[in-house]
Amino acid sequence: MRETALSAAHADLGASFTDFGGWKMPLKYTSELQEHRAVRTTAGLFDLSHMGEIRIVGPDAATFLNTALVGNLAAVKIGKAKYSLICREDGGILDDLIAYRIDENEYLLVPNASNREVVAAALTERAAAGPVRDGAPADGDSSSSAGFDVEVWDESEGISLIAVQGPAAQKIISSVVRGNETFLVEELGYYAFTTVSIGGDEILLARTGYTGEDGFELFLPNDKAHALWLALLEAGSDDGLVPCGLACRDSLRLEAGMPLYGNELSTERVSFEAGLPVVSLSKEENFVGRAALEAAKAEGRGKTTGQRLVGLKGLGKRAGRGGYPVLAAEGENAGETVGAVTSGLPSPTLGYPIAMAYVDIAHTEPGTRLDVDLRGKPQPFEVVPLPFYRRER
């Protein structure tokens, strides 16, 4: 397994490790429940260095990304970030990612760890191929004059990503930012970023996260990661900051209704089914998957036909897990399978079981009673709007 630059630091803190997308990552340090509650009440420190970092640079960067991704990346202002998807020709989701606009002709994309190489390869191919024709890239190669004037650099191996998430995150980050008297951390907006000086090092600081809490993510070279990790632990020692693993990251994102690739998102699903309003059908450029997504929208896929991702609130004590069948609980088809759970667990914050599931459209209205088949024992659930948890602002 690959290891991040902070692997030794995690071992020193007594972390339990797990294999995640081929990376040796901390699962937890103490207990996932304690770490989950720390993020909701004080702050948690995460090593996310397994995530990908792909830089797009060149005069055609904005136009290229508008053909490679489903969102309107050309409309993103410098210093802002946007959540988007990269799709196949059939509209299936290759990955979800965040795009940071560094400059007029430069973006930084952050795909999921398990999909990084797939995304980098797709972007490289699409850059060489040039403008999209009929929902697919035109034929081309790296030497083709039809290609976009951009370079695609996969920088993942050299970059570490550290996150501070929770109500105390702003205070902790403010205490370690030095050397920039004109910048105040509290003035950095959500899904915005800047470059700051910490310990004499220039670091990209973004107000983004995957927990449902206020928080920040910091991008920096691998050789600077250990010093920053220790500095953040020290800075947050009086504010309840604790190191956190992937176990609580999963329960936090589920409470916040955030999809996970491989669970809620896959090449078998389109954005409309997942309830993600990120597809720009009004932008000028054609993009890979556009024709298929226009057809899916026209047929009402995820709205009036097929299935849609919903939240399920447990009415009993037992939680559903990924893959468990969802059954109709009422009416003529009671007991019939109408969907499947994608993610589920007992919510530490809310005190009852929660799950996300793809369910047939006829059973997606909030308040609808459904059962989840827990190994032959149906348990009662109710359809509820997502997210399950929303922080006070």
Side-chain angles (χ1 to χ4, degrees):
M1 289 186 291
R2 299 174 179 176
E3 295 186 2
T4 75
L6 294 169
S7 187
H10 302 318
D12 290 343
L13 291 169
S16 299
F17 290 93
T18 187
D19 179 353
F20 188 84
W23 287 83
K24 180 182 177 182
M25 297 298 296
L27 180 67
K28 60 182 179 179
Y29 298 85
T30 53
S31 77
E32 54 262 50
L33 181 59
Q34 178 182 341
E35 293 166 20
H36 180 109
R37 288 175 174 166
V39 175
R40 288 282 182 252
T41 58
T42 54
L45 181 64
F46 296 85
D47 177 13
L48 307 178
S49 303
H50 60 309
M51 300 291 284
E53 288 86 20
I54 301 172
R55 199 171 298 269
I56 310 297
V57 181
D60 292 342
T63 302
F64 162 61
L65 287 178
N66 266 15
T67 69
L69 307 180
V70 303
N72 188 353
L73 281 301
V76 178
K77 295 180 180 180
I78 296 171
K80 297 290 187 178
K82 185 178 183 65
Y83 176 80
S84 194
L85 305 174
I86 180 169
C87 294
R88 303 192 307 185
E89 295 173 28
D90 64 1
I93 301 169
L94 277 176
D95 199 21
D96 62 331
L97 49 78
I98 297 179
Y100 299 84
R101 191 165 197 176
I102 307 297
D103 210 335
E104 186 69 22
N105 298 320
E106 181 178 353
Y107 292 77
L108 178 66
L109 307 186
V110 181
N112 287 291
S114 59
N115 291 333
R116 185 255 293 184
E117 294 177 350
V118 171
V119 171
L123 290 170
T124 300
E125 178 183 351
R126 294 175 188 188
V132 172
R133 301 284 186 265
D134 298 324
D139 292 334
D141 55 42
S142 58
S143 62
S144 172
S145 60
F148 289 102
D149 188 2
V150 296
E151 293 183 73
V152 179
W153 300 335
D154 186 351
E155 301 180 344
S156 308
E157 298 293 343
I159 296 181
S160 290
L161 175 56
I162 298 172
V164 180
Q165 300 281 300
Q170 178 177 289
K171 179 183 178 183
I172 294 166
I173 294 296
S174 296
S175 71
V176 299
V177 173
R178 297 288 184 270
N180 190 342
E181 297 179 358
T182 63
F183 170 72
L184 296 175
V185 172
E186 55 265 32
E187 294 179 354
L188 188 66
Y190 187 52
Y191 262 61
F193 66 92
T194 190
T195 300
V196 297
S197 177
I198 300 179
D201 297 316
E202 295 298 304
I203 293 170
L204 192 152
L205 173 69
R207 199 161 201 158
T208 48
Y210 192 54
T211 64
E213 294 297 335
D214 186 21
F216 300 82
E217 296 181 321
L218 303 97
F219 299 81
L220 69 163
N222 286 340
D223 62 352
K224 307 294 185 182
H226 189 253
L228 178 60
W229 180 266
L230 295 179
L232 289 167
L233 282 175
E234 181 179 358
S237 60
D238 293 334
D239 294 298
L241 177 72
V242 301
C244 295
L246 296 184
C248 80
R249 183 171 154 88
D250 188 48
S251 57
L252 290 160
R253 69 91 192 167
L254 179 53
E255 288 184 344
M258 296 178 172
L260 174 65
Y261 196 90
N263 290 37
E264 286 72 43
L265 307 179
S266 72
T267 55
E268 304 303 313
R269 297 291 180 180
V270 299
S271 59
F272 308 123
E273 294 173 301
L276 297 176
V278 296
V279 178
S280 176
L281 296 176
S282 62
K283 64 181 177 181
E284 179 181 347
E285 298 85 358
N286 199 356
F287 59 88
V288 178
R290 178 168 189 154
L293 289 169
E294 286 178 332
K297 183 176 181 180
E299 72 182 25
R301 188 170 172 187
K303 186 174 183 180
T304 59
T305 65
Q307 293 187 327
R308 184 167 68 240
L309 187 68
V310 300
L312 296 179
K313 173 183 177 180
L315 304 179
K317 295 182 178 181
R318 297 183 61 191
R321 303 290 180 177
Y324 284 14
V326 176
L327 314 175
E330 302 170 331
E332 296 181 356
N333 64 339
E336 293 182 7
T337 299
V338 295
V341 172
T342 55
S343 300
L345 46 70
S347 167
T349 303
L350 303 173
Y352 50 76
I354 59 173
M356 287 197 282
Y358 278 105
V359 176
D360 294 348
I361 291 297
H363 303 275
T364 57
E365 188 69 24
T368 301
R369 267 286 319 278
L370 295 169
D371 289 332
V372 173
D373 185 351
L374 275 61
R375 299 179 180 177
K377 296 183 179 180
Q379 296 293 311
F381 282 76
E382 178 184 12
V383 176
V384 296
L386 291 170
F388 301 102
Y389 166 84
R390 194 185 302 273
R391 71 181 176 93
E392 295 182 4
R393 299 180 184 273

